Amino acid sequence: MFRHTLPRLLPLLTAALLSAALPAQAQRVVRIVVPFGTGAVQDTIARAINNELGQALGASVIVENRAGAGGSVGSSYVAKSAPDGNTLVLAAASHHIVGHLYKKLDYDPLKDFVGVGYIGNSGYAIVANAALGAGNTREFIAAVKARPGATNYASAGNGSATHLGMASFVAMAGLDMQHIPMKSTGDAVNEVLAGRVQAVTSSLIGVMGYKDDPRVKFIAYTGKQRSRFLPELPTAAESGLPGYSFDSWIGLLAPAALPRAERDRLNAALQKTLADPAVQERLARLGVESATMAPDAFQQLLRADWENAGAIVKASGAKVE
């Protein structure tokens, strides 16, 4: 019996053995480039979604930090990468801000990118050292005006959202304050805690842990409406500076030549990721109001934000030499 069956089985056995000996096909690797250092807000957001996004894509999604020059180093790298969907940048408001602040970028923040997927929106809190004696927007403006040129504010660096958020507030309120650029939001907050700097505009994740710290006072929220994560904190507009608002979109961008089919596939995977309750909870802890958006709608948002960023930079008078 076996003499007759064995010849028919040999080809099947040989194929199975060869298949087992061959290495498995390499899994696709997608990189999310964060244009700021490890531990920065955008870095934390990227790491809050990368595992689930990888599962949705059937790929390995890794986070890669490429910091420098207000985020332009990492963004430049992605702009020049192959448009195959394997290299993305986790971008926010600062992506367009640097395009209006830095005059010699080797890429165009709007034209060299396409929106892959919207992640959500995040506002900022204006926080002051308690020694300034201000507890709200009106008191903050009055305290700074009483000491012209003697107060300052820190930021995560020239061209960062924390820089422009406060610079536009200072310009709109007619204040005389000096900008002290630091390397990160954490460094900027520490300067305020130590009393070496009087104020900072920080994403909620950067300051929520200090809400009850006697060394600082939460002055206002910068968004158009109060944050659902800190509802007791009034907006700057409602508490002393009408018309002021500053917040940030957060999303994934790819090189502009990315094929539409790949863009749609990435967007669908991101939407699936954002529907995961565990991801929603992580983003909420970071102060991100997560939401999904179709690719074309996200692209419209990016075009509008590019124009808005230009207006904010112009109104703030901020410059990067």
Side-chain angles (χ1 to χ4, degrees):
M1 175 180 176
F2 290 107
R3 280 185 301 175
H4 298 293
T5 306
L6 192 58
R8 293 197 302 270
L9 291 177
L10 277 175
L12 298 176
L13 290 170
T14 302
L17 289 170
L18 286 173
S19 177
L22 290 173
Q25 183 178 3
Q27 187 179 35
R28 177 185 180 186
V29 176
V30 175
R31 289 180 296 170
I32 297 178
V33 173
V34 173
F36 296 97
T38 303
V41 174
Q42 286 170 233
D43 175 68
T44 311
I45 292 171
R47 296 179 194 279
I49 67 170
N50 71 303
N51 287 334
E52 284 78 3
L53 182 59
Q55 292 169 13
L57 286 170
S60 176
V61 176
I62 62 173
V63 178
E64 182 177 307
N65 299 87
R66 288 180 175 264
S72 62
V73 171
S75 295
S76 174
Y77 174 80
V78 175
K80 297 170 184 176
S81 297
D84 53 10
N86 291 335
T87 308
L88 311 172
V89 61
L90 195 295
S94 56
H95 178 79
H96 286 156
I97 287 170
V98 297
H100 293 283
L101 275 175
Y102 290 80
K103 303 305 180 185
K104 295 182 180 180
L105 292 179
D106 59 356
Y107 66 95
D108 187 305
L110 183 65
K111 295 178 181 178
D112 289 343
F113 294 88
V114 65
V116 165
Y118 179 76
I119 293 173
N121 177 277
S122 178
Y124 300 79
I126 299 174
V127 178
N129 183 271
L132 190 63
N136 57 50
T137 303
R138 290 183 184 87
E139 291 177 357
F140 179 80
I141 292 173
V144 174
K145 285 187 174 180
R147 304 167 59 192
T151 55
N152 47 40
Y153 68 92
S155 80
N158 283 321
S160 66
T162 56
H163 173 199
L164 263 291
M166 196 64 182
S168 57
F169 180 97
V170 167
M172 193 169 181
L175 304 180
D176 182 4
M177 296 184 76
Q178 182 180 356
H179 172 220
I180 310 296
M182 306 299 294
K183 291 183 178 180
S184 69
T185 299
D187 289 340
V189 172
N190 284 336
E191 290 298 294
V192 177
L193 289 167
R196 290 185 289 269
V197 173
Q198 281 69 54
V200 65
T201 297
S202 168
S203 60
L204 291 184
I205 182 180
V207 291
M208 282 290 278
Y210 304 105
K211 188 165 64 73
D212 299 317
D213 193 309
R215 292 175 292 178
V216 293
K217 293 288 186 180
F218 277 55
I219 302 300
Y221 184 66
T222 67
K224 297 180 181 66
Q225 300 175 339
R226 295 191 186 197
S227 168
R228 67 182 177 92
F229 306 116
L230 202 61
E232 69 275 18
L233 184 65
T235 67
E238 71 177 295
S239 60
L241 193 58
Y244 172 83
S245 68
F246 184 86
D247 56 16
S248 175
W249 55 270
I250 302 159
L252 293 174
L253 310 182
L258 182 74
R260 179 61 191 246
E262 181 62 19
R263 177 185 171 193
D264 290 344
R265 194 175 79 85
L266 289 166
N267 183 269
L270 180 60
Q271 292 205 28
K272 182 178 179 180
T273 298
L274 295 176
D276 187 318
V279 173
Q280 292 176 1
E281 182 180 349
R282 278 183 226 134
L283 292 175
R285 288 200 301 266
L286 301 178
V288 176
E289 300 196 25
S290 60
T292 58
M293 190 177 291
D296 288 342
F298 185 33
Q299 198 63 31
Q300 289 177 3
L301 181 153
L302 293 173
R303 285 193 289 268
D305 185 73
W306 172 253
E307 298 299 327
N308 184 56
I312 289 174
V313 170
K314 182 178 180 180
S316 73
K319 296 179 181 179
V320 175
E321 301 298 335

